[in-house]
Amino acid sequence: MIELILMQRVDKLGQMGELVKVKPGYARNYLLPGGKAIRATKSNLERFEQDRVQLEAQNLKRREEAERVAERMEGLSVVLIRSAGESGGLYGSVSARDIADGCTEAGLGVTRSQVQLDAPIKTLGLTTVRVELHPEVLLPVIVNVARSPEEAEKQARGEEIAREEEITLEDELVAELGAATRE
């Protein structure tokens, strides 16, 4: 186990300034390169304590900015047009990069690492995704995956696309049967 000082809040680990013990791989591959933590040496502890007030003030300022952006962008919906099969399964998937690009087009500049997507989206429909503007500020973004802009509008209104297609197919079958029985 390696002892580290957290430089920012890390989910399921701790708050800024806390001393934590983590496995070497987690420290080496995620926390240290991302600037989320520093090694807990005597010199680093002393330097952190000297700069603590300044670091906390910077963190507070960044969090307030992120909260203002979150208020302004609340209810953001991103429409992504993709080709899909009749059952609603996508040919391919929607990744964090696609969502980040869609958010950027909508006026919210985010990187793909800020998009918290548990698994790629592989079906049509509405999905809520979290965007991390700051370690303490999460913005829910609605991702609307559809075959066409018209379908996206229907999904946004809450209409069921698949059901409409079934009704249309049933009407066509009834019309064909009716024509066949008249002949």
Side-chain angles (χ1 to χ4, degrees):
M1 297 293 256
I2 295 178
E3 197 167 24
L4 302 173
I5 305 167
L6 294 178
M7 298 302 285
Q8 64 183 20
R9 182 182 174 278
V10 178
D11 275 344
K12 301 176 186 160
L13 190 58
Q15 297 292 329
M16 179 178 160
E18 284 186 28
L19 279 174
V20 294
K21 288 186 178 183
V22 296
K23 291 185 177 182
Y26 185 51
R28 192 175 47 245
N29 297 324
Y30 180 70
L31 296 173
L32 294 173
K36 297 177 187 302
I38 56 174
R39 291 187 185 275
T41 61
K42 264 190 179 176
S43 61
N44 281 346
L45 280 167
E46 290 169 7
R47 195 180 83 221
F48 181 78
E49 288 305 322
Q50 288 173 349
D51 299 342
R52 182 182 207 113
V53 174
Q54 183 182 0
L55 290 169
E56 287 178 352
Q58 287 174 349
N59 184 44
L60 183 64
K61 184 179 173 188
R62 285 196 309 268
R63 190 178 85 215
E64 287 171 354
E65 286 175 12
E67 286 171 348
R68 282 196 299 275
V69 170
E71 285 175 20
R72 197 176 75 236
M73 300 306 274
E74 194 170 342
L76 177 65
S77 179
V78 176
V79 176
L80 300 173
I81 306 300
R82 296 287 186 272
S83 57
E86 288 185 27
S87 64
L90 296 178
Y91 300 134
S93 62
V94 174
S95 66
R97 174 181 280 145
D98 299 324
I99 296 167
D101 293 344
C103 288
T104 303
E105 288 174 17
L108 176 66
V110 294
T111 62
R112 69 178 187 198
S113 62
Q114 290 175 288
V115 177
Q116 295 181 347
L117 187 62
D118 298 328
I121 301 169
K122 296 186 178 196
T123 57
L124 294 173
L126 299 172
T127 307
T128 303
V129 175
R130 295 180 318 276
V131 175
E132 184 180 289
L133 300 175
H134 180 272
E136 299 171 27
V137 180
L138 295 174
L139 173 69
V141 174
I142 298 167
V143 180
N144 187 345
V145 184
R147 291 185 194 103
S148 66
E150 296 80 26
E151 188 175 299
E153 286 178 29
K154 287 180 181 178
Q155 284 180 175
R157 289 194 303 262
E159 297 177 19
E160 286 194 29
I161 306 304
R163 183 75 189 122
E164 278 182 30
E165 290 173 358
E166 287 175 22
I167 292 168
T168 308
L169 289 173
E170 285 174 13
D171 292 344
E172 287 174 10
L173 285 171
V174 168
E176 285 176 22
L177 288 173
T181 54
R182 278 187 236 129
E183 292 175 357

